[in-house]
Amino acid sequence: MVLSTIIARVGDGLPLAASMDDEQSETELAEYKNQAKLIFKKLTPNSESRCSIESGKYVMHYLISNDVCYLCVCDKKYPRKLAFSFLDELAEEFFVSYGNELTKPNLRPYAFIKFDTFIQKTKRLYQDSRTQHNLTKLNEDLQDVTKIMTKNMEDLLWRGDSLDRMSSMSEQLRGESLKYKKDARNLNLQALYRKYGLPAIVILAFLFVIYLRFWWF
């Protein structure tokens, strides 16, 4: 079944609306809601428009439409086709209701929390996959869900951590490269001094003596 739903803006991850879950669900799904926030932060306009992310005993399905991400947390056994049909309905209604307001720069978090009324109504329709409504949805050739990418949350987090570490290593290597270049320049100057320093001093001393001899004596 669909357990929780969060809607956020792609680009800055601003949460726009969410389902009002009961206290037990809030406790059980707290970790997954935090993971959802991490997913929103990673999304870009070039991200997959439909994706399923496995995490523990649940799956997070998300749909991106009109620069808004619609994400729901479901049991692993819940049909993916129903999950994405549920998200499609949310996306259509949400854009009709708030499409003109989504790009406002001063939009506050959960500015459209009233959308929960529609979320809850639609969620009830999709609760039981055996109802006639959902059996009809399953039989409809709406989309080939086998082509929707499936990821693992641990891999997603690890890759993000890896990218962060690679960025850090890149900065460190850049600093070491500058230090090496400076040290190499100093070594070259020292080598030139050892090779030409003494002869140069002798020549300068000789010229100074000649100068004194002809101009002062």
Side-chain angles (χ1 to χ4, degrees), residues 1-7 17-22 24-34 36-37 40 58-62 69-75 78 83 86-87 90 110 116 119-120 123-124 127:
M1 66 175 66
V2 176
L3 301 172
S4 187
T5 306
I6 307 174
I7 301 172
S19 58
M20 301 295 288
D21 304 321
D22 57 53
Q24 182 179 352
S25 296
E26 282 289 345
T27 302
E28 292 180 357
L29 300 176
E31 178 185 351
Y32 298 93
K33 291 185 178 183
N34 287 332
K37 292 176 183 177
F40 293 144
Y58 299 120
V59 182
M60 286 175 280
H61 305 283
Y62 78 70
C69 180
Y70 303 84
L71 182 147
C72 64
V73 182
C74 301
D75 293 316
Y78 191 74
F86 167 74
L87 294 175
L90 295 190
Y110 301 103
D116 177 58
I119 294 176
Q120 297 297 344
K123 181 180 174 181
R124 283 192 291 272
Q127 282 299 83

Side-chain angles (χ1 to χ4, degrees), residues 9-111:
R9 193 164 60 185
V10 176
D12 58 5
L14 180 73
L16 302 172
S19 58
M20 301 295 288
D21 304 321
D22 57 53
E23 188 174 343
Q24 182 179 352
S25 296
E26 282 289 345
T27 302
E28 292 180 357
L29 300 176
E31 178 185 351
Y32 298 93
K33 291 185 178 183
N34 287 332
Q35 290 178 2
K37 292 176 183 177
L38 292 175
I39 293 171
F40 293 144
K41 289 181 180 179
K42 290 177 178 292
L43 292 177
T44 69
N46 297 322
S47 298
E48 298 88 353
S49 60
R50 295 172 185 262
C51 185
S52 298
I53 301 171
E54 297 179 352
S55 181
K57 60 182 180 180
Y58 299 120
V59 182
M60 286 175 280
H61 305 283
Y62 78 70
L63 158 71
I64 296 177
S65 177
N66 296 305
D67 296 322
V68 176
C69 180
Y70 303 84
L71 182 147
C72 64
V73 182
C74 301
D75 293 316
K76 276 192 173 181
K77 293 182 179 179
Y78 191 74
R80 280 210 294 174
K81 197 167 188 178
L82 286 183
F84 281 100
S85 180
F86 167 74
L87 294 175
D88 278 326
E89 289 200 33
L90 295 190
E92 184 178 350
E93 181 65 23
F94 190 82
F95 190 72
V96 168
S97 301
Y98 307 110
N100 294 330
E101 304 177 55
L102 296 177
T103 56
K104 288 183 178 179
N106 58 343
L107 211 58
R108 293 180 299 175
Y110 301 103

